[in-house]
Amino acid sequence: MHSLQASHATANRLRALTAALVLAFAGGAQAQSVYVSSEKDNKVMVFDAAGKLQSKIDVCKRPRHMMFSADQTKIYVCCGDSNQLGVVDRASGKMVDTVPLADSPEIFDLSPDGKVAYVSIEDDSVLAAYDLATKKPLFQVKTGGEPEGVLVTRDGKWAYVTSEEANVVHVVDLSKKKIVKDIKVGNRPRRFAASPDGSEIWVSNELSANVSVIDVKTQTVKGTVPFEIKGMRANDITPVGVVMTRDGKTAWVSLGRANHVAEVDVATRKVRRTVLAGKRAWGLALSKDDKTLYVANGLSDDMTLVDTQEGKAIRTVASGRVPHTPLVGP
């Protein structure tokens, strides 16, 4: 009888522990939100960490790239058809303001203090700076044709801008408001990711099926990461999105029309493995613990969640028409 009571007690303790773990996991999932811009729906979709749709936020026309404000209470969303930077209040789940931009804005980055937005303007071929408080344009820097990717250094002194037509990365001195160097990269450069220590900048080259690695100290290309998928033509491998883990050891690259994402060892610049996602894998974001990769698939209108430790897709969820950018926040 005593043995039976002990068994029941042990079972009860296990059930209690299991319940506690489930609640802890659920609390963690609820504490992390995933935002996805939907170009054709003019909305930002809000998911929990597990990919369950929570709500939809009406925003400006053709929402694309997104970033958090410095205090993470707001989301800035760049709208390519209404030529605006929408301001979403996270607490209310509503767009509460807009900042007017020039025609056909693409990608943007913020100054380290969060007060200035630097935006690539495709139609005018410029990098444009805007004061977010006054909503006034500050200056423009002429670039090569079809500027897209923008990355501002952590000290706020430099901006890197890709030109899809010129096949270069412009290095812009923000205090002098001019380009001080052009770095030749691959064909049709698109997006950036900086290493956590700021020593390297990775740029995706959509029509070269590779990534160029820029040495920030010398402002030169010091390496290239090529991508191959067995049975697939090179011109169907079109890398765009790039994101790095917080320890700087791993980079994930979306391979566009190849419908895969690639995991790259940063130190060796070798591809460890590729993972099948949806059609035209595009925008990327990592969970705060780097264990889940969120992949926006522009042609299958969904988002794939990838277990980065197992290297496998966990699930795919509908995320509006032409999802562009995933953004993960607490």
Side-chain angles (χ1 to χ4, degrees), residues 144-219:
E146 294 190 36
E148 178 160 320
V150 180
L151 187 148
V152 176
T153 56
R154 287 179 294 181
D155 59 11
K157 294 180 179 179
W158 311 93
Y160 294 84
V161 185
T162 59
S163 167
E164 296 177 39
E165 289 185 0
N167 299 328
V168 300
V169 170
H170 301 298
V171 184
V172 179
D173 184 321
L174 293 176
S175 63
K176 296 180 180 179
K177 303 177 180 60
K178 69 176 185 178
I179 293 171
V180 294
K181 185 169 185 177
D182 290 331
I183 304 172
K184 186 71 175 176
V185 289
N187 294 331
R188 197 173 173 84
R190 299 296 298 269
R191 310 281 175 81
F192 293 112
S195 61
D197 64 4
S199 65
E200 291 183 355
I201 292 174
W202 288 39
V203 54
S204 57
N205 301 306
E206 185 179 15
L207 299 186
S208 291
N210 62 30
V211 162
S212 297
V213 181
I214 295 173
D215 184 302
V216 170
K217 186 175 182 180
T218 63
Q219 303 288 17

Side-chain angles (χ1 to χ4, degrees), residues 216-237:
V216 170
K217 186 175 182 180
T218 63
Q219 303 288 17
T220 58
V221 173
K222 69 176 186 179
T224 303
V225 182
F227 300 103
E228 296 179 359
I229 295 178
K230 188 175 181 180
M232 190 168 289
R233 296 185 182 93
N235 60 6
D236 286 329
I237 301 173

